[in-house]
Amino acid sequence: MSVQEYLDKYLVSRKIEDAVNAAVRAKASDPILFIANHMKRAVSPVITKIKARQILDSRGIPTIEVDLFTNKGSYRASVPSADVSLAASVAIHEALELRDRDNAKYFGNGVSKAVAIINDKISEALIGMDPKQQSQIDQAMIDLDKTDNKSALGANAILAVSIAACKAGAAEKEVSLYKHIADLSGKTNAVIPVPAITVISGGKHAGNNLAVQEIMIMPLGASNFEDAMQMGVETYHHLKAIISEKHGPTGCNVGNDGGLAPNISSISEGLDLVIEAIDRASYNGRIKLALNVAATNFCFGKKYDMNFKSPDKSGQHFKTGQEMIEMYTKLCTDYPIVSITQPFDKDDWENTKVFTALEHCQVVGDDLLMSNPKRVERATNEFTCNALLLKVNQVGTVTEAIEVVKQAKDTNWGVVVSHRSGETNDSFISDFAVGIGAGQIKAGAPYCGEHISKYNQLLRIEEELGSGAVYAGETWRSP
């Protein structure tokens, strides 16, 4: 038995002895109940231990899992991973993951250094702190890191502990996680977000020739979240059948986000397939469409190569920013598209601004913003886009994520809480989306555990809220 284990056992024994003596002195009519209540008060709400380990994300790439202990129990969190192939010019705008860079193990993507930092430095700094004090815990890690982008301790290390502490804080208050997050963000009404469900994958997330990264469906006309998921799942499976009929079974391969990946090359061809699936499912008018273009991936010298994945066509038909605007305008006219994410390059502020001003649809900043408060401030000042794609690990702590959401909402932007390309089964973002009243969540296709876990948690939350549950639905942008 270690010294710490001995002390823990000794302290618990002392607390029991004290409780028994107090019951005797009080001549309690129900000694057992008295002792239980006395013990409950005696157990102070403090972090007693933090233990981290390396696990694998949905792509088989290492990420971090943390167990955080208090006198009340243990709380586990695992963090998603950024795209490890992300260009440095993009990554400098987000909080940085700490990777081992040892090419002999996991191609340099191991996180053993970050794990050691949690088990040593972060653990030492946080033991004894009250898990209900989320901002103080997060600030303690920020102060320990002492960098602008969390590169010293690693954003993945900091966030894993931050999320675990948030779960512990909810338990100490004896409330659900989303209610605790609502308290932290100053929200009084819980709102179940509209899911932006991936149904077709392309871009760098799939092996087909489709340039855009995702075609999504949004069940705005659902009566509640359970109804929304039924609509989304049925449409997904009808789409799978349609693709199998037209492209054969290999067309039903899936991409990183679980979307189907038929070998199509045009956006309109993909949208036509989805419209046919919606029609077959009898949800016309109740389901709208959304695109995640991820145009940074095919922008070369301020021009856009929609054939960048087709070796025999790549570079032959570049589009200018104006031509991209014309293409999006036609798509929004021909199809019920209500949202487009990252329609231009990460630094193409001007064309993004011009397209947003046309008010064809919601324009969501992803690479453009990187959930970075400074870039969000610039975009709000310049009216560049009108919605934030919030990825918690781009910010690095729960507190800072809440703050950047407030920053976006103060300008009447939409907020989309998003997963990452490397996911785990942790469903934290579901509670987060409800707690902050985001109105929208992007968690991939209704396929594979890492995506399903988020949707299942939202079903549980809706069930818990009962008649008090409010589905964002038609008020998805400003619930």
Side-chain angles (χ1 to χ4, degrees), residues 115-430:
V115 166
I117 284 173
I118 294 172
N119 291 336
D120 298 330
K121 293 182 179 179
I122 294 178
S123 177
E124 182 181 354
L126 299 189
I127 284 178
M129 294 189 72
D130 183 346
K132 299 192 301 297
Q133 303 301 318
Q134 186 72 41
S135 61
Q136 293 179 19
I137 290 169
D138 291 342
Q139 190 59 52
M141 291 189 285
I142 292 169
D143 293 343
L144 186 63
D145 179 84
K146 295 185 175 68
T147 69
D148 292 335
N149 59 0
K150 299 177 178 63
S151 56
L153 301 182
N156 45 353
I158 291 173
L159 180 63
V161 176
S162 181
I163 292 175
C166 192
K167 293 178 179 181
E172 290 294 343
K173 291 164 61 175
E174 298 184 347
V175 299
S176 298
L177 180 56
Y178 68 89
K179 290 182 180 177
H180 177 48
I181 293 169
D183 289 342
L184 295 174
S185 61
K187 291 288 292 182
T188 56
N189 59 319
V191 177
I192 311 294
V194 171
I197 301 171
T198 304
V199 289
I200 290 183
S201 293
K204 289 192 173 182
H205 284 190
N208 53 16
N209 287 326
L210 183 64
V212 302
Q213 193 158 284
E214 293 167 272
I215 297 176
M216 299 171 284
I217 56 175
M218 299 183 69
L220 301 184
S223 57
N224 53 42
F225 187 78
E226 183 179 8
D227 186 32
M229 286 312 301
Q230 179 181 335
M231 292 166 66
V233 169
E234 289 178 358
T235 301
Y236 180 85
H237 286 289
H238 278 298
L239 177 63
K240 187 175 182 179
I242 291 167
I243 290 172
S244 182
E245 292 165 10
K246 296 186 176 184
H247 297 273
T250 58
C252 296
N253 291 335
V254 298
N256 278 7
D257 302 306
L260 300 163
N263 194 24
I264 56 178
S265 56
S266 74
I267 304 173
S268 58
E269 188 177 356
L271 292 171
D272 286 338
L273 289 170
V274 177
I275 290 294
E276 185 175 346
I278 293 171
D279 180 62
R280 191 175 289 189
S282 301
Y283 292 129
N284 287 320
R286 299 179 65 195
I287 292 179
K288 302 298 182 182
L289 305 181
L291 299 175
N292 176 19
V293 179
T296 299
N297 291 331
F298 55 87
C299 180
F300 306 95
K302 296 185 178 182
K303 290 187 177 181
Y304 297 88
D305 185 2
M306 299 295 291
N307 296 315
F308 83 106
K309 296 173 68 179
S310 179
D312 59 330
K313 296 180 181 178
S314 182
Q316 296 180 13
H317 302 288
F318 281 114
K319 286 184 180 292
T320 64
Q322 180 57 39
E323 288 171 333
M324 292 290 284
I325 291 172
E326 292 168 0
M327 179 187 74
Y328 294 136
T329 298
K330 179 169 174 49
L331 288 173
C332 289
T333 301
D334 294 345
Y335 301 94
I337 295 173
V338 295
S339 181
I340 298 180
T341 300
Q342 203 57 43
F344 300 95
D345 179 61
K346 66 186 183 302
D347 292 319
D348 194 343
W349 294 76
E350 187 54 39
N351 281 309
T352 308
K353 180 178 180 178
V354 171
F355 180 60
T356 301
L358 295 175
E359 299 184 345
H360 292 313
C361 64
Q362 173 180 259
V363 180
V364 187
D366 182 3
D367 298 344
L368 181 81
L369 304 175
M370 302 299 287
S371 305
N372 183 311
K374 292 181 180 178
R375 290 176 78 86
V376 171
E377 181 180 13
R378 176 183 172 184
T380 54
N381 290 339
E382 297 180 9
F383 305 99
T384 310
C385 56
N386 55 27
L388 165 71
L389 192 77
L390 189 279
K391 297 174 180 175
V392 181
N393 72 336
Q394 286 184 331
V395 189
T397 67
V398 172
T399 301
E400 290 168 294
I402 290 172
E403 288 304 313
V404 79
V405 167
K406 288 180 179 178
Q407 185 182 3
K409 283 183 168 291
D410 284 347
T411 348
N412 296 317
W413 276 18
V415 174
V416 186
V417 174
S418 176
H419 66 157
R420 299 286 328 235
S421 57
E423 264 298 338
T424 74
N425 287 330
D426 195 312
S427 59
F428 175 79
I429 65 168
S430 299

Side-chain angles (χ1 to χ4, degrees), residues 4 11 28 55 69 95 97 109 150 155 228 234 248-249 277 337 381 387-388 436-437 476:
Q4 184 62 53
L11 289 171
I55 63 169
F69 298 81
E97 296 178 333
N109 292 316
K150 299 177 178 63
E234 289 178 358
I337 295 173
N381 290 339
L388 165 71
I436 63 170
W476 56 290

